Amino acid sequence: MRKLIYLIPMLAILFMLTYLLQTPHASANENKLIEENFNQLTNGQLPDGWEILEGNATTQDGKLILSSSSTSSPSRVLIPVPDKIGDYVFEADVTFKSAVDNARWVSLMYRVQNDNYPYYQFAVRKGTSALNGVEFAIRTESNTWSVPAKKFYPEDFRYGQAYRLKVIAKGERIQQYINGQLVIDTDLANQWLEGDLGFQVSGATVEFDNVLVTTRANDLPPIEHSNAFLPDEPDTNMVNAPTIISSDTNLLSGASNVLLDAQLNESGNITVGDILLLDMLASIRGKAIPTIQVENQDVANGVIEVLDTVSTKDIHIISSNQEIINQIKAAHPQVRGAILYNKEHLNKHDLKKLVTDANRSRSMSIVLPERLITDKTVYFFHTRAIAVWGIGENIHDLLHAGVDGIITENPSKAVTAYSLYPENTFVQRPIVVAHRGVPSLAPENTMVGYHLAYDLGADLIETDVQQTKDGQLIIMHDTTVNRTTNGTGNVADLTLEEIRSLDAGIKFGPEFAGEKVPTFREFLQGFKDKDIILLIEVKAENIEEQVLQEIKDEGMEDMVVLQSFSIDTVKKFREIAPGISVGYLYSASVPGSEQQRIQDAEQMLNYATTIGARLNSSYGSLSEESITYMRQRGIINMHWTFRSQEPFEELLKKGLIGPITDYTQWLTDAPTKIDTPIKKRNLKVGKTATIQAKTFVNYRVDEKQNIETTLFASENEQNVQIEGNTITALSPGQAQIFAMHTFEMLGKQWNLVSVPIEVNISN
């Protein structure tokens, strides 16, 4: 026996010890109430006292089988327990044999009242990787559902594979486990403290085995507070100011992130400087977001071991080696990745490869040295839903390039720079997504509408793809042609020829009569040679491969971003198109308290990071906390659908970067960048200088226009006087002066400013 023990690898021993420490076990004073493996039962017979409440339940070949054909006809079995007992451990093996779809579920019911309802339940969907794949749910006294807690499991349950579900109930505290992994921990079970047990299946056929129920005497530990937090940020008047990442672990003031250069010391421990990484993570917990740089394979192995021991996964991994990010994310899927690019040059080929590499490693951000950063580079990545962090000390240049984060050795310098800007300052105009073209000005999802969106300066054009009866891909939002054409019928019941015979413009206005419903290929070909990104929403089921093939046929893989409301479609694209950015469309309510909103943002980001998709939610799902949470962690999302100016303006102030709108024209005249002919000016005391500026009005076109500007200096600049475009030098020293253009957008005034002009004043 001793020889066998020594043959066990040390890592396996550590894993076992960790499992034993983290997983609650029955103590000597906890009694076994039920132990059932169904082996002694005649086929069809249920254990004594067990009762079918509804639906179909039977035993067969040593298994309990519950079968339900639909959500409206669940199957439930009640397992009675002695009165006045509600503190117990309830566990069983469950195996999905079939399911109507991935949303169907199995549950362990507990504290069942009145031999029926109300009760609590641990519900697990066949598609456990969905946002609500795992639930703590309540069947209420009015026989309706309430779901106070929902989570996801890293992978979907597989048919024919047994999973161990366990519920530990002690007072109001509940823990729910899958295969020994704690998935839900709550203190919301305070309505009923005792009651029966049971199994339930909805829209599936599920086997149950090895049922074990023991009493629970020991208290559960206090519920662990969420690690979710928003680090403090510097005061600024800028809209959507970049997050600051300090590369000095001793200088955190103003920085939301801290860069930790992980190394392997002589003792085999992972350190940051002279401090153990584990201790460093503990010291900055709740203060700054750890961003760990890993460039060595041995270091990567050690970092994984460290992450195995910490509760937080709110961590960024930066590496120039894509495989290291893949390795760490394979062990900890919720950890975020960022590709570091540090070569001397960055050409078009490199840009495209970086997008592919980022998506393949399920990273959503790129890290570049400032010498490689321009506003065009940042724009390239932003339109493909990839954030950019810049490394450097020229803070204003990085700001005006539009980066999402600045890695600096001196965060106080960045804090000072941020404080200089006037109120409502844009350093970058939002990336505008034209929703179905411009349906406020032209018929939706038509080529005339798409070309109008392009002419109005849209940065992305969004469209919807359906499939016809004869298997052709067309552009159509609805499942029927009724609303947007002069025809009727389901898209899936009409041939391409029948749909092409319809008029897709006449309902919008007589001037658009004769517009056809475009094919998907026609849509692609219409923008193949243009500088535009296409945001493609897949509406129909099981067309992912066909959509991707037509994109490949046109050679446009680098010109598209994909999205869907279907999590199955999102996952399919992650499988067959790993190099293309993908968004998950959803809508959710906004929690009431600030901490709940932060925790909700944490859960959503963990979900996005795990599945490798952006969170393209409805704008009504957003809060200031969620927008900030994503920005601080290097995530760009696109949000639908703005048809009213008030929420648009409100969310822009809170940092929105990717609005999807029916009204591209609202932002057409909003300038994108202001440019001055000089960066430095020398003046003697008493002398004046006049400075003019021009602006760019489109991200896609290098075209400048003359504009009205004034000069601006912060209140701290006492050695100059500003009047309009003229500077007067008052006393020796140095001043930073901005050229500023004020414009109206969404019914409000905004400011666009230049990189500051350095004015040196001498006698």
Side-chain angles (χ1 to χ4, degrees):
M1 182 66 180
R2 183 173 297 174
K3 291 180 180 179
L4 290 175
I5 292 174
Y6 282 118
L7 289 174
I8 299 174
M10 184 59 69
L11 286 177
I13 295 175
L14 291 173
F15 174 81
M16 291 168 65
L17 288 173
T18 302
Y19 176 81
L20 290 171
L21 289 171
Q22 292 182 348
T23 304
H25 294 270
S27 65
N29 61 346
E30 292 175 349
N31 300 317
K32 190 180 296 181
L33 297 175
I34 298 170
E35 186 172 21
E36 182 62 70
N37 60 18
F38 309 103
N39 290 336
Q40 306 305 315
L41 298 174
T42 304
N43 284 350
Q45 180 185 6
L46 265 61
D48 290 344
W50 292 33
E51 178 186 353
I52 300 174
L53 294 180
E54 60 181 318
N56 301 306
T58 187
T59 55
Q60 185 175 337
D61 299 327
K63 303 285 193 299
L64 171 66
I65 302 173
L66 270 65
S67 183
S68 162
S69 60
S70 68
T71 56
S72 60
S73 302
S75 293
R76 291 193 295 150
V77 167
L78 183 71
I79 308 171
V81 297
D83 290 344
K84 307 302 180 183
I85 293 181
D87 293 345
Y88 36 55
V89 181
F90 176 27
E91 51 192 309
D93 294 336
V94 302
T95 304
F96 276 93
K97 305 303 291 183
S98 66
V100 174
D101 55 48
N102 267 0
R104 299 310 105 215
W105 49 266
V106 60
S107 78
L108 273 58
M109 303 187 297
Y110 52 99
R111 293 182 180 169
V112 181
Q113 308 295 299
N114 307 317
D115 296 329
N116 198 340
Y117 69 87
Y119 55 85
Y120 304 110
Q121 76 168 13
F122 176 18
V124 178
R125 299 184 191 279
K126 167 64 176 64
T128 36
S129 64
L131 182 59
N132 60 345
V134 181
E135 296 179 345
F136 164 68
I138 303 172
R139 193 65 176 181
T140 68
E141 292 175 300
S142 59
N143 205 19
T144 59
W145 285 118
S146 171
V147 185
K150 59 184 179 183
K151 293 290 178 67
F152 64 94
Y153 190 66
E155 60 183 34
D156 289 342
F157 276 21
R158 297 175 183 172
Y159 288 119
Q161 180 171 324
Y163 296 84
R164 189 71 172 172
L165 303 188
K166 177 165 66 175
V167 174
I168 303 177
K170 177 64 178 177
E172 64 184 17
R173 289 281 284 106
I174 300 293
Q175 290 184 333
Q176 299 180 164
Y177 292 81
I178 298 175
N179 284 352
Q181 178 180 331
L182 179 61
V183 288
I184 288 184
D185 195 8
T186 181
D187 57 3
L188 297 177
N190 53 12
Q191 293 176 271
W192 311 288
L193 298 179
E194 60 191 48
D196 294 330
L197 301 166
F199 297 120
Q200 182 167 191
V201 167
S202 177
T205 297
V206 178
E207 288 181 348
F208 300 84
D209 201 1
N210 301 317
V211 180
L212 179 64
V213 182
T214 55
T215 59
R216 176 75 185 191
N218 296 338
D219 288 337
L220 284 167
I223 191 166
E224 183 175 337
H225 293 293
S226 170
N227 291 307
F229 75 109
L230 292 178
D232 293 334
E233 294 192 309
D235 291 332
T236 183
N237 288 319
M238 286 185 291
V239 174
N240 199 21
T243 193
I244 298 173
I245 304 101
S246 176
S247 57
D248 188 331
T249 57
N250 296 312
L251 299 174
L252 296 183
S253 180
S256 60
N257 292 249
V258 59
L259 183 64
L260 308 176
D261 185 8
Q263 300 294 334
L264 187 68
N265 69 10
E266 293 178 355
S267 302
N269 296 315
I270 303 299
T271 62
V272 179
D274 296 328
I275 302 174
L276 290 175
L277 174 60
L278 189 61
D279 293 339
M280 181 64 73
L281 293 176
S283 70
I284 64 173
R285 181 173 177 174
K287 301 174 185 175
I289 304 161
T291 299
I292 306 173
Q293 184 169 352
V294 185
E295 297 296 340
N296 178 280
Q297 187 66 59
D298 291 335
V299 174
N301 294 333
V303 167
I304 290 172
E305 292 181 19
V306 170
L307 295 182
D308 288 341
T309 67
V310 297
S311 60
T312 180
K313 296 300 181 286
D314 185 13
I315 290 172
H316 235 83
I317 299 295
I318 291 180
S319 182
S320 59
N321 186 336
Q322 178 188 338
E323 293 309 312
I324 284 178
I325 296 175
N326 288 338
Q327 178 188 355
I328 295 175
K329 281 188 65 63
H332 296 281
Q334 295 177 12
V335 167
R336 299 177 298 279
I339 301 285
L340 171 64
Y341 185 88
N342 50 19
K343 297 179 182 179
E344 289 301 315
H345 304 287
L346 184 62
N347 57 34
K348 288 184 178 180
H349 170 77
D350 298 326
L351 288 170
K352 293 178 181 179
K353 186 176 185 303
L354 272 173
V355 171
T356 299
D357 288 349
N359 281 311
R360 283 185 177 277
S361 63
R362 301 197 176 186
S363 302
M364 300 183 196
S365 47
I366 298 289
V367 182
L368 300 172
E370 64 179 88
R371 70 177 184 276
L372 299 178
I373 293 178
T374 67
D375 57 323
K376 290 186 179 300
T377 300
V378 174
Y379 179 73
F380 180 92
F381 289 118
H382 276 183
T383 54
R384 291 157 176 84
I386 294 177
V388 179
W389 284 1
I391 308 172
E393 302 304 319
N394 293 319
I395 304 300
H396 293 290
D397 288 342
L398 290 169
L399 283 173
H400 287 267
V403 297
D404 306 282
I406 296 176
I407 300 177
T408 172
E409 297 176 351
N410 189 355
S412 62
K413 179 181 176 182
V415 170
T416 299
Y418 282 29
S419 70
L420 300 178
Y421 288 81
E423 188 175 0
N424 288 338
T425 292
F426 270 118
V427 290
Q428 57 171 322
R429 193 202 70 186
I431 301 298
V432 183
V433 184
H435 183 240
R436 307 180 203 167
V438 195
S440 57
L441 299 176
E444 71 174 59
N445 282 339
T446 60
M447 294 309 295
V448 66
Y450 296 136
H451 288 301
L452 178 58
Y454 181 85
D455 293 340
L456 288 170
D459 304 301
L460 294 92
I461 296 175
E462 189 265 356
T463 194
D464 307 285
V465 183
Q466 299 272 14
Q467 188 181 50
T468 65
K469 180 180 180 180
D470 49 346
Q472 301 300 307
L473 298 182
I474 64 159
I475 302 300
M476 179 73 64
H477 176 271
D478 299 356
T479 57
T480 76
V481 299
N482 302 4
R483 181 175 60 86
T484 57
T485 77
N486 62 346
T488 58
N490 296 321
V491 173
D493 295 333
L494 298 170
T495 66
L496 176 61
E497 183 179 357
E498 289 170 330
I499 290 175
R500 290 286 281 181
S501 69
L502 303 176
D503 192 319
I506 188 65
K507 281 191 173 181
F508 191 91
E511 67 273 29
F512 296 104
E515 275 296 314
K516 301 296 183 185
V517 174
T519 64
F520 180 51
R521 193 177 296 275
E522 181 183 4
F523 170 72
L524 292 173
Q525 292 174 343
F527 295 97
K528 185 174 182 177
D529 299 320
K530 296 185 182 295
D531 184 15
I532 191 76
I533 300 300
L534 307 178
L535 179 59
I536 298 165
E537 180 182 343
V538 174
K539 307 293 286 190
E541 296 180 356
N542 302 317
I543 63 170
E544 297 87 1
E545 293 186 0
Q546 187 178 356
V547 167
L548 181 61
Q549 188 57 54
E550 293 198 11
I551 292 169
K552 287 182 174 180
D553 289 346
E554 300 301 328
M556 296 176 68
E557 296 99 311
D558 63 322
M559 294 181 62
V560 300
V561 174
L562 305 165
Q563 65 176 5
S564 179
F565 279 97
S566 166
I567 192 62
D568 291 336
T569 292
V570 170
K571 291 177 182 177
K572 182 67 175 179
F573 276 131
R574 285 273 49 85
E575 175 189 339
I576 66 174
I580 298 176
S581 300
V582 178
Y584 174 49
L585 293 161
Y586 74 98
S587 184
S589 59
V590 175
S593 72
E594 178 183 1
Q595 187 56 36
Q596 285 177 321
R597 292 193 290 272
I598 295 172
Q599 289 178 214
D600 188 63
E602 176 195 40
Q603 181 179 343
M604 291 305 305
L605 181 53
N606 286 345
Y607 187 64
T609 307
T610 300
I611 64 175
R614 284 71 184 167
L615 295 168
N616 294 354
S617 72
S618 66
Y619 73 78
S621 306
L622 299 175
S623 64
E624 184 170 5
E625 290 85 359
S626 67
I627 293 172
T628 303
Y629 195 93
M630 300 297 167
R631 174 174 51 78
Q632 289 180 338
R633 291 156 176 83
I635 306 297
I636 286 181
N637 307 307
M638 299 174 187
H639 302 287
W640 50 277
T641 299
F642 289 95
R643 298 183 174 99
S644 174
Q645 291 193 7
E646 185 177 348
F648 200 170
E649 179 251 327
E650 178 186 347
L651 288 171
L652 284 182
K653 283 184 180 178
K654 294 177 179 177
L656 180 77
I657 192 170
I660 301 175
T661 180
D662 288 354
Y663 292 83
T664 299
Q665 66 272 24
W666 284 346
L667 284 82
T668 296
D669 296 328
T672 59
K673 181 182 177 183
I674 193 168
D675 191 43
T676 58
I678 58 171
K679 305 303 178 191
K680 291 186 178 181
R681 186 65 189 261
N682 297 321
L683 279 179
K684 292 188 177 296
V685 172
K687 297 297 183 180
T688 63
T690 299
I691 297 175
Q692 301 290 345
K694 293 187 175 183
T695 186
F696 292 91
V697 294
N698 191 307
Y699 280 124
R700 294 190 274 102
V701 181
D702 280 332
E703 182 181 334
K704 296 182 183 179
Q705 292 184 359
N706 292 320
I707 55 167
E708 266 189 45
T709 59
T710 57
L711 299 180
F712 172 85
S714 72
E715 295 177 357
N716 298 327
E717 304 290 6
Q718 302 294 321
N719 50 359
V720 294
Q721 178 180 321
I722 303 292
E723 290 186 10
N725 291 314
T726 301
I727 310 168
T728 301
L730 300 180
S731 59
Q734 190 179 78
Q736 289 186 314
I737 308 298
F738 298 87
M740 180 174 69
H741 170 62
T742 301
F743 63 97
E744 187 167 304
M745 180 178 70
L746 303 171
K748 187 173 183 62
Q749 286 193 330
W750 309 82
N751 293 310
L752 187 71
V753 301
S754 68
V755 173
I757 303 160
E758 184 181 301
V759 179
N760 297 298
I761 305 167
S762 59
N763 286 316

